[in-house]
Amino acid sequence: MFTQKKKAYYSKILGFKSLEDFETFSKRYLKYLEKNTLTKNRVMSGFFILVEIQKEAMKNKSLINFDNIKNQHIKKYADIILELRKNNLGSMAITKYLYENHRVTVSRGTIEKFYKQNGL
């Protein structure tokens, strides 16, 4: 549908923090518009979808606690680490995942410290 460059551009204009948020918005809005004929109210409802997705993104970002974490890789991949933890992966499996997929070396202890600070 869009190239990566256009996604980044539109994402920046609409105020999204990531391309995934823009993709979520565009998919939801497209499904919403396909249901019935196009009217002013249906177009304006897209702004409410936009605000809702932005609030969800801000809520998810603010829940992560980075106190006493100095490792920049933990800060960068925090969402991935927490998602993997929710999928019942241990800290050793997460370190392997980060190395294989992102070429990042993070110790098991650092990940466990991050868990404790975020209540996992």
Side-chain angles (χ1 to χ4, degrees):
M1 187 169 157
F2 294 114
T3 63
Q4 290 296 340
K5 189 175 181 180
K6 282 188 179 180
K7 285 181 188 178
Y9 175 73
Y10 294 138
S11 179
K12 184 178 178 182
I13 288 174
L14 294 173
F16 291 120
K17 300 291 181 189
S18 67
L19 293 178
E20 292 83 25
D21 293 336
F22 172 73
E23 289 177 3
T24 303
F25 166 72
S26 61
K27 288 176 186 175
R28 280 182 62 185
Y29 195 44
L30 181 64
K31 286 180 185 176
Y32 179 74
L33 290 176
E34 286 177 342
K35 290 181 183 177
N36 291 320
T37 59
L38 190 61
T39 63
K40 287 184 203 176
N41 288 336
R42 293 186 67 76
V43 172
M44 292 303 293
S45 295
F47 293 111
F48 294 113
I49 294 171
L50 175 68
V51 169
E52 182 181 318
I53 290 174
Q54 287 175 337
K55 284 182 182 178
E56 288 175 11
M58 292 304 292
K59 186 172 83 171
N60 292 339
K61 299 291 181 194
S62 65
L63 294 176
I64 299 173
N65 183 6
F66 291 114
D67 295 342
N68 300 324
I69 297 290
K70 296 176 183 172
N71 191 326
Q72 75 261 7
H73 300 305
I74 294 287
K75 292 178 181 179
K76 184 175 181 180
Y77 299 108
D79 294 326
I80 295 171
I81 292 170
L82 293 176
E83 188 66 34
L84 292 171
R85 179 65 176 180
K86 288 177 186 176
N87 292 335
N88 296 325
L89 288 179
S91 56
M92 202 64 195
I94 293 173
T95 58
K96 289 179 182 177
Y97 175 85
L98 288 175
Y99 183 75
E100 291 172 359
N101 294 308
H102 301 285
R103 294 292 183 232
V104 171
T105 304
V106 179
S107 71
R108 181 178 54 86
T110 305
I111 291 176
E112 289 178 2
K113 182 179 176 183
F114 181 65
Y115 292 159
K116 289 178 185 175
Q117 287 182 345
N118 286 288
L120 297 175

